[in-house]
Amino acid sequence: MVAPIEFKLWAPYNKGAALVGSFSDWQEVPMQKGEDGIFRTTINLEDGTHQYKFKVQSRSWFFEPDQWVDVNDPYVTDVDNTSQNCNVRIKDGERIVDTYVWQHDNKPLPPDHELVIYELHVGDFSGGEDDPYPRGTYKHVIEKLDYLVDLGINCIELMPVKEYPGDHSWGYNPRYFFATESSYGSTADLKRLIDECHGRGIRVLMDGIFNHSEAESPLTQIDHDYWYHHSPRDPDNNWGPEFNYEQYDEKLKTFPARKFIGDTVRFWIEEYHIDGIRYDAARQIANYDFMSWIVQETKKFASMKPFYNVAEHIPQNPAITNIDGPMDGAWHENFYHAMIDHLCEDQFDLERLKSALDAKREGFMGTTNVVNYLTNHDHNHLMFELGERGILDEAAFKRAKLGAALLMTAVGIPMLWMGEEFAEYKPKSVEPNKIDWTLLQNGNNRSLHDYYRGLIFLRKNNHALYTENIEFFYENVEDRVLAYTRWNDEGSRVVVIANFSGNFLKDYTIPHLPSDGTWHEWGYDYDLEVTDNTLITDLPEYEAKVLVW
């Protein structure tokens, strides 16, 4: 079948543009610019895959004035890895991304307040217990989905999967915003991963880089200062050309950068059925007007599906997710720092601990406004931090369990960085750095995994942990003991008693518990009696009791 296919290039102030491709023997096909600033031409194409790119008279300041340059389509959905040309696929006379047919679109997915997030890097996550693969792909993540379901995970956050230069990167240097990273697999492979997640009740958040692009991203070559700031606004925190969300085109009545990123977000929601976005470098984006608009766009495109927009704003700023703030939530960086300092014995500060566990004290509004974590891709694993301080073996695993108990019972949404649940310890690296699945064969590592699994089960079944309710009912600075309770209006209650000292506290008295009677210690599975709202119990060093009423 042969059908007319339109090619478009948005370049409003460029003087000329042409199309070249396999279909024209790489000879130039002239393009005409309309009043909307879009160059167009139509080519009759057979069904199949064809390669193409554009030539354009650039307006970017680093070229000669009106110099003709080769550029790829900013809206390309697939880039040929060898030639670096654009691929366009035609089927039944229409452009397609691929032929994937979604299977699980009607499966219910958990709402934001129920999320337990697992952050992973596709290349370093991989699959299979003995992990023979040199590099992880989408297919290997699918192999591990049942493992994640068993752990209790109901949301994965994929580090960036937009096409970047080369075959290994964390992905924070996107060159093509509509194309997927080819070294992880095909577009259909990514769709299958997301579909298989949905079939298991797992939501998928994508890491969105909307602050900047890679230096040779097509828009930089076409007319740099139409879409980007001319130079870095903060040279110490610059990762590439920065989108200019303030720039308004009076003639075309549009914000160019906003339009491009709006188109990007709509494409990922409609084509890949994603369930949320993490906004990298929100402090550097520094435009609440744009962020409010893009969040509203996501809700519109996602329609009836839950969609979670979470900001990485460091240093943290509650304003980004409060009543007037644009985002649904924000990474809770202060939680991370407070936990590391207290689990590693760097300090003991009760007020700081309480603020980490109850983000309302820091100015956040409630449960879905913060994502808590003991680590993420930007930080080292807890076990590495403990090892750096000479805290090893049993002592390290005890503290890891204490950290798990605090993470899963704090106000907010908990997030794990891949491997944290079984005590991965390798230092962070932007080089290939795969997690070691064989650690699960060790007793202590498996025990930590099972402890996490139990706490996640508790979180999902005791809805006191979904609320904003928290009360610190006992604290002792000298003994380094802190106790708090979480509850809901239906009668569910959880009490956490944490010993942050290196001392075994025998027959320790905790007054002011919320209820008398039998409480069940969740992590270690035994009952305790509370009389006159007082509990007398042993508190081992660096351990938390998680009591369920």
Side-chain angles (χ1 to χ4, degrees):
M1 179 177 181
V2 177
I5 302 297
E6 186 176 61
F7 288 82
K8 299 191 294 187
L9 178 67
W10 186 33
Y13 300 101
N14 298 67
K15 286 183 178 174
L19 171 71
V20 296
S22 54
F23 40 76
S24 70
D25 234 1
W26 298 99
Q27 299 303 303
E28 291 184 17
V29 178
M31 301 180 77
Q32 302 302 316
K33 183 163 63 173
E35 292 192 3
D36 56 2
I38 297 174
F39 285 92
R40 293 177 173 85
T41 192
T42 300
I43 301 286
N44 289 322
L45 292 181
E46 293 182 345
D47 282 6
T49 301
H50 308 270
Q51 291 192 5
Y52 73 101
K53 58 175 45 182
F54 296 116
K55 290 179 178 289
V56 66
Q57 286 184 276
S58 176
R59 295 185 78 241
S60 298
W61 47 267
F62 41 81
F63 291 121
E64 294 295 322
D66 299 325
Q67 179 180 335
W68 283 94
V69 297
D70 290 355
V71 295
N72 274 351
D73 188 347
Y75 286 77
V76 63
T77 59
D78 184 46
V79 178
D80 181 74
N81 213 22
T82 306
S83 67
Q84 287 297 298
N85 293 324
C86 303
N87 283 332
V88 59
R89 289 193 181 89
I90 309 298
K91 186 174 190 297
D92 299 331
E94 301 281 345
R95 281 176 179 258
I96 62 164
V97 174
D98 51 55
T99 57
Y100 188 81
V101 179
W102 294 85
Q103 304 296 316
H104 302 295
D105 269 352
N106 54 358
K107 290 285 177 74
L109 295 169
D112 296 346
H113 68 274
E114 294 182 9
L115 297 182
V116 180
I117 302 173
Y118 193 92
E119 187 193 17
L120 66 89
H121 179 280
V122 173
D124 287 341
F125 184 63
S126 204
E129 287 305 321
D130 56 351
D131 199 8
Y133 308 111
R135 170 187 185 72
T137 66
Y138 300 128
K139 289 178 180 177
H140 300 145
V141 179
I142 293 171
E143 287 179 21
K144 301 302 288 184
L145 289 183
D146 290 338
Y147 163 85
L148 293 177
V149 169
D150 180 70
L151 181 60
I153 300 302
N154 59 16
C155 179
I156 63 171
E157 182 175 304
L158 296 175
M159 282 177 69
V161 296
K162 296 187 181 79
E163 185 76 70
Y164 51 71
D167 278 346
H168 185 87
S169 165
W170 274 9
Y172 294 98
N173 53 335
R175 182 175 285 179
Y176 302 106
F177 282 72
F178 294 76
T180 61
E181 174 49 37
S182 51
S183 65
Y184 296 155
S186 68
T187 56
D189 291 339
L190 175 56
K191 288 178 181 178
R192 182 169 167 249
L193 167 57
I194 295 169
D195 207 10
E196 291 288 337
C197 285
H198 290 166
R200 292 165 173 81
I202 297 174
R203 283 172 62 180
V204 180
L205 309 187
M206 299 298 253
D207 205 331
I209 296 81
F210 305 132
N211 171 65
H212 60 277
S213 76
E214 191 264 344
E216 294 183 23
S217 194
L219 296 181
T220 67
Q221 312 295 295
I222 296 168
D223 188 353
H224 184 286
D225 290 2
Y226 188 63
W227 286 280
Y228 299 93
H229 291 283
H230 181 74
S231 54
R233 291 162 298 164
D234 178 5
D236 293 335
N237 292 286
N238 174 253
W239 302 283
E242 296 166 348
F243 286 108
N244 184 349
Y245 294 116
E246 291 80 47
Q247 173 132 308
Y248 183 70
D249 184 331
E250 280 286 353
K251 181 183 171 191
L252 296 178
K253 300 289 186 277
T254 189
F255 290 92
R258 294 189 197 191
K259 179 186 183 313
F260 179 71
I261 295 302
D263 290 346
T264 300
V265 165
R266 178 174 192 160
F267 174 80
W268 280 88
I269 294 172
E270 294 181 347
E271 188 70 32
Y272 287 98
H273 300 202
I274 62 170
D275 310 295
I277 295 172
R278 171 205 179 255
Y279 293 77
D280 181 63
R283 183 179 76 86
Q284 281 73 27
I285 293 173
N287 187 314
Y288 279 18
D289 187 45
F290 159 70
M291 286 192 272
S292 295
W293 174 77
I294 201 71
V295 165
Q296 292 311 309
E297 291 288 286
T298 66
K299 307 287 188 188
K300 183 171 76 182
F301 302 145
S303 187
M304 303 301 289
K305 279 178 50 173
F307 199 92
Y308 188 53
N309 294 279
V310 59
E312 180 221 26
H313 192 295
I314 297 171
Q316 75 176 38
N317 179 6
I320 200 163
T321 180
N322 282 354
I323 290 174
D324 298 327
M327 292 286 158
D328 299 323
W331 275 20
H332 191 192
E333 186 75 353
N334 286 10
F335 181 92
Y336 159 76
H337 288 291
M339 291 301 124
I340 292 297
D341 287 351
H342 287 82
L343 296 171
C344 293
E345 242 178 305
D346 293 348
Q347 73 161 175
F348 185 74
D349 180 340
L350 265 177
E351 292 309 308
R352 190 171 169 221
L353 261 181
K354 290 192 285 187
S355 292
L357 294 163
D358 178 12
K360 298 192 301 298
R361 288 169 166 254
E362 297 180 342
F364 290 98
M365 289 196 306
T367 306
T368 57
N369 295 117
V370 287
V371 173
N372 300 317
Y373 43 87
L374 296 175
T375 189
N376 60 40
H377 71 267
D378 273 328
H379 299 297
N380 285 312
H381 282 288
L382 173 59
M383 291 305 260
F384 176 86
E385 296 288 354
L386 291 165
E388 286 288 281
R389 294 159 176 82
I391 301 165
L392 306 166
D393 304 324
E394 285 299 337
F397 280 95
K398 280 185 77 75
R399 294 168 198 239
K401 286 183 176 178
L402 172 56
L406 298 169
L407 174 65
M408 291 299 162
T409 59
V411 175
I413 294 172
M415 182 177 79
L416 293 172
W417 167 232
M418 61 179 189
E420 186 69 11
E421 75 279 10
F422 56 74
E424 176 60 83
Y425 60 89
K426 288 195 291 293
K428 74 167 187 175
S429 172
V430 295
E431 299 304 316
N433 193 31
K434 292 174 66 174
I435 59 175
D436 183 1
W437 290 97
T438 63
L439 290 172
L440 278 166
Q441 297 165 15
N442 303 333
N444 280 334
N445 301 74
R446 174 58 71 173
S447 174
L448 177 62
H449 165 276
D450 293 348
Y451 189 70
Y452 264 107
R453 183 171 174 266
L455 285 167
I456 294 171
F457 182 85
L458 171 65
R459 183 178 181 85
K460 291 163 79 172
N461 288 278
N462 189 312
H463 295 172
L465 298 173
Y466 288 162
T467 70
E468 291 138 29
N469 302 329
I470 185 168
E471 180 189 352
F472 300 96
F473 65 86
Y474 178 80
E475 54 192 67
N476 186 312
V477 176
E478 196 171 310
D479 294 336
R480 296 194 168 194
V481 174
L482 176 66
Y484 55 94
T485 181
R486 306 285 316 277
W487 71 95
N488 69 3
D489 296 337
E490 286 75 52
S492 295
R493 268 199 184 274
V494 174
V495 160
V496 180
I497 304 165
N499 177 5
F500 288 91
S501 79
N503 302 318
F504 186 98
L505 304 174
K506 187 167 178 57
D507 295 334
Y508 197 83
T509 301
I510 312 274
H512 312 308
L513 267 83
S515 304
D516 285 347
T518 303
W519 289 74
H520 185 72
E521 204 295 319
W522 186 261
Y524 299 96
D525 195 22
Y526 57 87
D527 290 340
L528 289 164
E529 292 298 324
V530 173
T531 309
D532 297 330
N533 299 102
T534 301
L535 173 67
I536 300 174
T537 185
D538 294 342
L539 293 181
E541 65 278 9
Y542 282 99
E543 191 171 295
K545 292 191 186 302
V546 180
L547 309 181
V548 181
W549 171 247

